[in-house]
Amino acid sequence: MRDVIVVGAGPAGSRYARQAASDGHDVLVFEQGEIGEPLACSGHVSTDVLEFVPPEDRDQLHQNEIHGARFHLGGPDSRAYPFYKDAVISHVIDRVELDKVLARAASEAGAEVRDEHTVTDVEEREDCIVVTVSGPDGVETHRARMVAGCDGPQSRVRDAVSLPDPAELLHGVLGFDADSDDGDFVDVHLTVPRFFAWRIPRGDAGVEYGLAVPPGEAAGERFETFTDSYGVKTDRRCSGLIPIGSPESVTSDRAFLLGDAAAQTKPFTGGGIRYGMTAADHAAREIDPADPATLADYERAWRRDLGREIRLGTWVRRGYSLPRPIQRVGLGLFAGEIGVHMDEPSSLFSRAQLRALLSR
């Protein structure tokens, strides 16, 4: 019997597998397709994300460095409200390659990673978890002391063990233009309901365009309108669901959720790479697969670390839906050099941000 079966080899799943295997646990990872494919997530990440990547692999992920963001209340020709730092705020990385690098790190740490294996059933028993998998060699059944559900917004593990769903699922759409752009500002457009659209320069890799909207808001049509406003036709497109609002519990008797399956995401951007891997580290530290009682320690640890940021991020997101006159005043007051961290809304109240405001 394995110690832990990890369902999903995205950033959170691979990070947990790497840390747990490094601690001597017997870890088996299943990914339903090719690792990193299909792309369904932006490659714009905070500088902290690279700290989770083996140093020798960081350069191969690099596409561009970002110093700020221009906020718009209309299209590309509307007034821009710039927010920036002299230092690098964030990186643009090869998102597909990130998954591959992290999965390889998990394998090198001792976890067994199997792609092209689809988990079809998860049965929680008193003394173990039974996982049924369909792979190239047919149907397999595996037993483990615990299972980690790292299988995305529509988590099969979450459903199988009857854990609650995220508060909402947004529909995100991405498209790419091949023309190179090494600009150091992203553009954010507060022009879609309850969220935003974006343009991210990716250096020689081109430009990423995207948006996210609530269900029923015609994401595809809005995306076409958005890219038309920039005068581009994207040569490839992908879409996915973005979970917002973590449920009250992400653990059951022998299962725990990580990453998008647990909605460990930023409510104001939808990004969850850093939050998911941070939670994965808490899971690896706190959970003893032989002792189900330690699942409660994981619940407390990740919420103590990320809960405040998620709550504050919810308030930041509400600003996207304020009346236009209020948005103009707010953006006008705060535009300029900033001292905030893109993953930490609490940094809006930091000394660095106060110094930036007073220096204007």
Side-chain angles (χ1 to χ4, degrees), residues 5-171:
I5 291 175
V6 179
V7 183
S14 289
R15 177 65 181 185
Y16 171 76
R18 178 187 179 188
Q19 300 301 92
S22 296
D23 289 340
H25 295 303
D26 184 356
V27 181
L28 175 60
V29 183
F30 291 119
E31 173 59 38
Q32 67 176 358
E34 180 182 349
I35 291 173
E37 299 285 356
L39 175 67
C41 176
S42 174
H44 181 219
V45 301
S46 70
T47 55
D48 294 342
V49 164
L50 291 183
E51 296 177 6
F52 295 87
V53 177
E56 64 272 17
D57 293 316
R58 293 172 186 172
D59 286 346
Q60 74 185 73
L61 299 180
H62 174 80
Q63 291 179 337
N64 200 13
E65 293 180 340
I66 301 298
H67 285 255
R70 293 182 290 255
F71 281 77
H72 305 261
L73 299 178
D77 296 328
S78 64
R79 177 183 175 182
Y81 299 84
F83 294 75
Y84 60 87
K85 283 184 178 181
D86 289 335
V88 174
I89 291 178
S90 55
H91 294 285
V92 185
I93 61 172
D94 185 331
R95 183 63 184 80
V96 171
E97 191 62 25
L98 175 67
D99 280 12
K100 296 180 184 296
V101 163
L102 294 174
R104 184 166 62 248
S107 180
E108 291 172 352
E112 182 178 351
V113 181
R114 301 186 190 178
D115 58 2
E116 306 294 347
H117 282 72
T118 301
V119 171
T120 59
D121 189 43
V122 176
E123 181 185 353
E124 194 170 35
R125 298 181 180 176
E126 184 176 348
D127 60 343
C128 70
I129 286 276
V130 179
V131 177
T132 303
V133 184
S134 177
D137 298 324
V139 177
E140 308 169 4
T141 300
H142 299 266
R143 294 170 182 263
R145 292 179 173 86
M146 288 189 181
V147 64
C150 312
D151 48 344
Q154 294 179 303
S155 169
R156 185 181 295 273
V157 173
R158 187 179 66 222
D159 290 345
V161 299
S162 300
L163 286 170
D165 293 333
E168 61 178 317
L169 292 174
L170 302 180
H171 183 189

Side-chain angles (χ1 to χ4, degrees), residues 50 79 81 183 231 241 249 313 330 344 360:
L50 291 183
R79 177 183 175 182
Y81 299 84
L241 296 175
S249 176
E344 299 173 1
R360 295 175 189 172

Side-chain angles (χ1 to χ4, degrees), residues 166-171 188-198 211-217 222 242-245 266-270 313-322 324 327:
E168 61 178 317
L169 292 174
L170 302 180
H171 183 189
V188 178
H189 296 263
L190 302 180
T191 54
V192 298
R194 291 167 49 194
F195 216 66
F196 60 88
W198 62 87
L211 59 76
V213 293
E217 290 289 348
R222 291 182 179 276
I242 301 173
I244 303 290
K266 295 178 286 184
F268 57 105
T269 71
T314 300
W315 283 99
V316 172
R317 182 184 166 199
R318 289 174 181 170
Y320 304 162
S321 300
L322 291 173
R324 281 286 186 264
Q327 289 180 326

